[in-house]
Amino acid sequence: MRQGAINDYGLGLRERLGGRVQKVAIDAGLSCPNRDGRLSTGGCTFCRGDAFSPDYCRTSPSIAEQIDRGIRFHAARRRTASQYLAYFQAGTNTYAPVSKLEQIYNEALAHPAISGIIVGTRPDCISSEILDLLEHISTTHYVAVEYGIESVYDTTLSHVNRHHTFADAREAVRQTKARNIDCGAHFILGLPNESRDEIIASTSEINSLGVDFVKLHQLQIYRHTPIEREWDEHPERFLFAADFSADDYISLLVDIIRRLSPTIAIERMVSLAPRHLTRFSPLGGMRPDEVRRRVIEQLDCLGAVQGDLCNNNK
């Protein structure tokens, strides 16, 4: 559903589910194959797990209690909703036996306030059996899968220690969409060695995936991560140097959005993390709603809308 110049995921979901929807983050205690030794023990160079989960997840032992605390957390910030979705966010939320996944998904769905689930995972951690489970759940509840893809360039994925390829992502999306399950993708803007032109050009590959929605996040440098050391030692590798401003990021988003297929909903344009964990962000402390407002304002000033340059994307 369009919000002025863009296809807005939140408005579309509200229309589809019949009311305002709020996600409640869940930490199901699942690990990641890039940390537990199956693929690697170092994890992705940019990742710091505690930057992504609210306190109510980390301090709550059960999924039901996390949901209760999450609803109170949002209500205290005047984020009331008629429906809530359990967002399995922390870790890799398909990285467990199917029986375990069925247990945790059903525990969330048993909560009376929950209308569906959103499952965050990696494109190399999906299977026919897991998709069977999610397809079955989707017959009675809203289900979406969000894949952390991060970049369309295999050289970048290797550099940041992802241990999957863009072809893996393409196949995961294909299999998910074949089950008529909503499918989204995360991409990080500003990873090492990617130029502004390369980031914009990657939009054509995003369009070709066939996802329903995207999250576009600025690269943030978290403290005590491998990428922090790289940022210090090789600043020339980063588009987001210390003098890269919020205006520069908003201009980058506008150029991407103009090339993004209008059929792909935009869920987010920016990521937030606790300031004490963040060494650098090109946005400083700018809030997501302010970024969105300024992007739409700039599109309007240009007389542009999402996808108006899509056919020109090479």
Side-chain angles (χ1 to χ4, degrees):
M1 182 176 180
R2 298 197 74 85
Q3 180 189 27
I6 67 170
N7 181 355
D8 184 270
Y9 175 78
L11 290 179
L13 199 60
R14 180 185 303 185
E15 184 177 75
R16 181 171 174 180
L17 298 183
R20 190 176 186 281
V21 180
Q22 177 67 57
K23 294 194 299 185
V24 178
I26 301 293
D27 184 343
L30 300 182
S31 184
C32 173
N34 211 16
R35 289 190 176 277
D36 72 359
R38 186 169 76 82
L39 296 176
S40 172
T41 57
C44 304
T45 64
F46 54 78
C47 185
R48 178 164 176 165
D50 56 352
F52 307 112
S53 294
D55 286 340
Y56 65 77
C57 292
R58 294 192 294 270
T59 58
S60 302
S62 73
I63 289 174
E65 186 176 349
Q66 288 181 49
I67 292 170
D68 287 336
R69 291 190 181 189
I71 291 172
R72 290 196 296 270
F73 174 88
H74 290 298
R77 290 155 180 79
R78 299 183 180 180
R79 301 172 190 156
T80 56
S82 60
Q83 300 186 62
Y84 293 88
L85 300 177
Y87 178 28
F88 289 87
Q89 180 179 23
T92 302
N93 292 283
T94 57
Y95 188 51
V98 174
S99 58
K100 171 68 173 178
L101 297 176
E102 184 174 21
Q103 173 192 332
I104 63 174
Y105 299 160
N106 284 339
E107 184 177 348
L109 292 167
H111 193 287
I114 296 298
S115 300
I117 59 173
I118 301 175
V119 179
T121 189
R122 291 169 52 96
D124 54 350
C125 290
I126 202 70
S127 68
S128 295
E129 293 76 17
I130 294 169
L131 288 170
D132 285 344
L133 170 62
L134 293 171
E135 183 180 26
H136 176 71
I137 294 171
S138 72
T139 62
T140 55
H141 297 83
Y142 177 78
V143 175
V145 179
E146 292 184 0
Y147 289 109
I149 299 175
E150 318 312 355
S151 174
V152 308
Y153 299 113
D154 285 348
T155 52
T156 300
L157 295 173
S158 176
H159 184 86
V160 299
N161 202 46
R162 281 294 291 176
H163 285 280
H164 70 75
T165 65
F166 187 63
D168 294 329
R170 190 180 293 282
E171 178 60 15
V173 172
R174 186 195 68 79
Q175 291 184 34
T176 305
K177 290 304 300 174
R179 308 299 186 98
N180 293 315
I181 298 169
D182 274 14
C183 186
H186 296 216
F187 291 95
I188 299 176
L189 310 181
L191 288 170
N193 300 316
E194 291 189 4
S195 69
R196 190 182 193 280
D197 287 346
E198 287 170 329
I199 293 169
I200 293 170
S202 71
T203 313
S204 62
E205 296 295 334
I206 297 173
N207 290 340
S208 72
L209 280 172
V211 293
D212 299 294
F213 60 94
V214 292
K215 287 182 174 180
L216 304 173
H217 291 176
Q218 82 284 18
L219 175 67
Q220 298 186 96
I221 306 298
Y222 298 124
R223 298 185 185 277
H224 311 301
T225 57
I227 211 167
E228 182 187 28
R229 293 192 297 272
E230 184 178 8
W231 195 69
D232 285 332
E233 295 171 6
H234 299 284
E236 73 281 1
R237 296 177 181 172
F238 292 84
L239 175 64
F240 295 169
D243 60 348
F244 193 93
S245 69
D247 286 341
D248 293 327
Y249 183 72
I250 288 164
S251 175
L252 175 64
L253 282 172
V254 167
D255 283 340
I256 291 169
I257 290 168
R258 295 188 68 185
R259 290 160 175 82
L260 185 68
S261 170
T263 65
I264 300 174
I266 299 172
E267 181 172 0
R268 295 194 69 179
M269 304 178 187
V270 58
S271 177
L272 285 181
R275 291 192 180 185
H276 70 281
L277 301 180
T278 305
R279 169 81 179 276
F280 172 78
S281 169
L283 294 173
M286 187 179 292
R287 301 291 302 176
D289 55 347
E290 175 65 8
V291 172
R292 181 175 290 251
R293 185 192 67 77
R294 290 180 59 181
V295 165
I296 293 173
E297 182 179 79
Q298 192 170 129
L299 286 167
D300 288 344
C301 286
L302 293 169
V305 295
Q306 180 180 334
D308 66 343
L309 298 180
C310 181
N311 291 336
N312 296 329
N313 205 359
K314 303 297 184 183

